Amino acid sequence: MNNLYSYAIEQSPKTPSIILELSSVLRYMLYDCREKYVALQKEIAHLKNFTQLNEMQIEERGKVTFKTENININYRIAPLILSVFIENAFKHSTASQSEDIFIDVKVKMDDKGGLDFECRNSFLPVTNTDNLSNGIGMQNVKKRLQLLYPKAHELYIQNEQDVYYVHLKLQLTQGET
Amino acid sequence: MINCIIIEDQPPAQRVLKKYITDIGYLELKATFADALLAINFLKKEPIDLIFLDIHLPKISGIEFLKVLNNKPNVILTTAFSDYALESYEYDVVDYLLKPFSFERFVQAVSKVPSKIKKGISPQISIEENKFPDMIFIKSGYEHIKIEVADIRFIQSDADYTEIITSARKYVSQEPLRYWEEYLDSKKFVRIHKSYILNISKIQKIIGNQVQFEGNINLPIGRAYKEGFMKLVLK
């Protein structure tokens, strides 16, 4: 909201598209997420909006990429699982870096409904822990994965010196939503 | 002008502050920092009246920064979270702006910056009135002795110190002559020689290149100072 306000004050031509992204993100989080599963394409669209909104706070201080590959719209997914990883990526990189930030998100599918999600972000060891809430988001995601995708997920997290890498494989299901 | 800096990591929020600072007219932005550690070094070198400080910052938070800051300038916190409002009282901040904030709200916050600093902004009148002291204090051992400025006849420089001569006696000051020349009202105290500043109202007469005070005290007028001095006296 604050960033949006800034764009509005500057009368930036980006303002209308930011309002649309924001309203999509809010609508998705408030309404669509009441379902246990949502259409994969909705979740992907949400991830993209969410990434773009967060990208506003980085601007020229770094680079954010979002790539999708071979998304099959017939599949469904539990909402807001993937966005937690993206949210964390932004949080941790901006809590430790004021420049040279990078965040790379990649979502692809194989032909049998296997979803492959990767999120990489840069960070530095000196971090302002104020806005990091003790990993509760990550704990919740792990619990949700165990409940919703028992034996159908693989979560791999690698915490290297200055790059945090999440790799999640999910076996999705088809069906009406 | 109030000298200020911005400590804010998000470019859009920086731009809003920059715009407001320009619009308000009496703030001078000296620098902008994306993290507080960079600002600490700057603050060691530059005197700053006011900091616009974000709380969620890379590396160390705005609150941690406040804790380590000695000689705190005025601080206006800017944050998107109200969680820290209560805690911020401990650090004696001027105001707490919840992002996004309007220009009106910004002006309200800045107007709370203590007037000690704001003097520079508007009233030239009060500066004219109060700029020159009516009395001075001279350190002598452990005491500070008061001298009425109006009683001073002249000030004489003597190597590393100056002597202040009143009708009654002589005082020794550690300050150089140049200091007194700037400190006192130049309409009343004028340099007539590389070693003398005198109080015009105490002069008895001017004889050629000499100024005479009561009690037959004569001071020479330096050639370089004569013209300026005569102009001032005979105007």
Side-chain angles (χ1 to χ4, degrees):
Chain A
M1 283 292 182
N2 182 44
N3 291 328
L4 173 60
Y5 180 74
S6 141
Y7 281 93
I9 283 228
E10 293 165 346
Q11 306 196 334
S12 161
K14 290 181 198 158
T15 313
S17 65
I18 294 167
I19 293 177
L20 293 182
E21 281 163 13
L22 184 64
S23 70
S24 306
V25 163
L26 291 177
R27 188 181 310 116
Y28 184 78
M29 290 171 81
L30 288 171
Y31 303 116
D32 298 341
C33 290
R34 285 183 295 200
E35 310 294 330
K36 196 174 173 189
Y37 295 100
V38 299
L40 179 60
Q41 88 202 93
K42 274 193 182 174
E43 172 78 8
I44 300 279
H46 168 72
L47 291 181
K48 200 166 186 174
N49 284 327
F50 186 76
T51 306
Q52 277 166 357
L53 277 179
N54 277 292
E55 202 180 335
M56 279 198 304
Q57 43 176 314
I58 292 186
E59 283 189 354
E60 74 278 9
R61 296 186 294 144
K63 196 166 161 34
V64 178
T65 62
F66 186 90
K67 282 189 198 131
T68 54
E69 211 178 292
N70 197 28
I71 299 299
N72 185 334
I73 57 167
N74 296 321
Y75 284 87
R76 307 179 308 161
I77 186 169
L80 300 183
I81 281 192
L82 303 180
S83 61
V84 172
F85 299 112
I86 297 179
E87 197 180 343
N88 279 346
F90 278 99
K91 226 195 271 182
H92 286 270
S93 55
T94 59
S96 64
Q97 291 177 288
S98 52
E99 56 193 350
D100 300 326
I101 296 169
F102 76 79
I103 294 168
D104 293 326
V105 183
K106 210 192 285 175
V107 194
K108 61 184 180 194
M109 278 184 80
D110 62 25
D111 298 333
K112 293 169 194 155
L115 180 108
D116 194 296
F117 171 88
E118 285 177 282
C119 182
R120 249 188 205 92
N121 72 269
S122 58
F123 72 99
L124 290 175
V126 187
T127 283
N128 164 19
T129 48
D130 257 26
N131 38 353
L132 310 177
S133 45
N134 309 321
I136 196 125
M138 201 57 103
Q139 281 170 31
N140 284 340
V141 152
K142 284 180 182 165
K143 278 184 201 155
R144 282 185 73 202
L145 283 169
Q146 273 158 25
L147 290 169
L148 295 164
Y149 294 96
K151 290 177 189 156
H153 78 273
E154 253 176 73
L155 178 63
Y156 171 75
I157 292 172
Q158 191 182 334
N159 197 342
E160 274 176 14
Q161 208 167 17
D162 50 5
V163 177
Y164 190 85
Y165 172 66
V166 176
H167 189 181
L168 175 67
K169 285 183 181 177
L170 268 186
Q171 182 55 51
L172 301 183
T173 50
Q174 281 191 345
E176 297 297 309
T177 51
Chain B
M1 290 299 246
I2 299 179
N3 291 330
C4 63
I5 59 169
I6 296 174
I7 306 178
E8 163 67 69
D9 60 327
Q10 301 200 1
Q14 282 180 3
R15 289 199 298 269
V16 169
L17 276 171
K18 281 180 189 165
K19 180 174 161 38
Y20 285 174
I21 286 169
T22 313
D23 290 351
I24 203 168
Y26 59 81
L27 292 176
E28 187 166 333
L29 181 62
K30 290 290 186 188
T32 303
F33 301 95
D35 81 59
L37 294 177
L38 299 169
I40 288 176
N41 284 325
F42 179 84
L43 286 169
K44 281 179 192 155
K45 287 175 279 176
E46 291 260 343
I48 285 297
D49 306 320
L50 175 63
I51 303 178
F52 294 98
L53 179 64
D54 184 20
I55 293 181
H56 284 184
L57 289 165
K59 295 171 198 161
I60 71 165
S61 79
I63 296 285
E64 285 165 356
F65 171 72
L66 277 180
K67 286 180 194 164
V68 301
L69 204 58
N70 308 317
N71 269 336
K72 223 170 284 170
N74 294 286
V75 172
I76 295 179
L77 288 173
T78 68
T79 170
F81 303 88
S82 53
D83 318 19
Y84 304 92
L86 195 58
E87 193 184 350
S88 74
Y89 276 94
E90 287 175 37
Y91 307 108
D92 217 13
V93 301
V94 174
D95 207 341
Y96 191 99
L97 291 174
L98 206 51
K99 291 190 275 191
F101 46 85
S102 67
F103 181 61
E104 288 74 17
R105 184 64 186 83
F106 172 83
V107 172
Q108 193 192 340
V110 173
S111 67
K112 288 184 195 164
V113 175
S115 53
K116 182 172 64 106
I117 289 159
K118 277 199 316 207
K119 228 171 213 166
I121 314 159
S122 53
Q124 264 101 3
I125 323 129
S126 73
I127 289 174
E128 285 299 315
E129 281 170 4
N130 300 331
K131 198 169 173 188
F132 301 107
D134 294 332
M135 58 186 93
I136 55 176
F137 285 86
I138 299 297
K139 195 174 174 217
S140 167
Y142 294 108
E143 297 169 333
H144 284 84
I145 301 162
K146 186 184 84 176
I147 305 173
E148 299 281 345
V149 170
D151 286 346
I152 299 172
R153 283 180 168 177
F154 59 90
I155 304 174
Q156 176 176 359
S157 85
D158 208 333
D160 296 338
Y161 57 94
T162 47
E163 286 180 336
I164 297 172
I165 292 98
T166 67
S167 325
R169 53 168 287 191
K170 235 190 235 181
Y171 302 87
V172 174
S173 149
Q174 305 299 320
E175 310 291 349
L177 200 58
R178 165 163 280 286
Y179 169 84
W180 293 115
E181 195 178 10
E182 279 168 18
Y183 190 68
L184 298 168
D185 186 350
S186 61
K187 289 197 190 83
K188 294 175 186 155
F189 285 84
V190 58
R191 177 83 80 112
I192 56 155
H193 186 275
K194 71 176 181 359
S195 308
Y196 300 106
I197 296 172
L198 57 73
N199 183 347
I200 297 176
S201 63
K202 292 286 183 187
I203 299 172
Q204 229 172 20
K205 53 183 158 180
I206 301 162
I207 319 159
N209 289 337
Q210 300 261 316
V211 180
Q212 196 176 85
F213 289 88
E214 208 178 304
N216 257 337
I217 301 164
N218 291 306
L219 299 182
I221 306 173
R223 208 184 307 156
Y225 301 95
K226 174 126 193 199
E227 198 185 332
F229 172 65
M230 292 311 277
K231 252 188 205 161
L232 198 72
V233 177
L234 303 174
K235 68 169 185 255

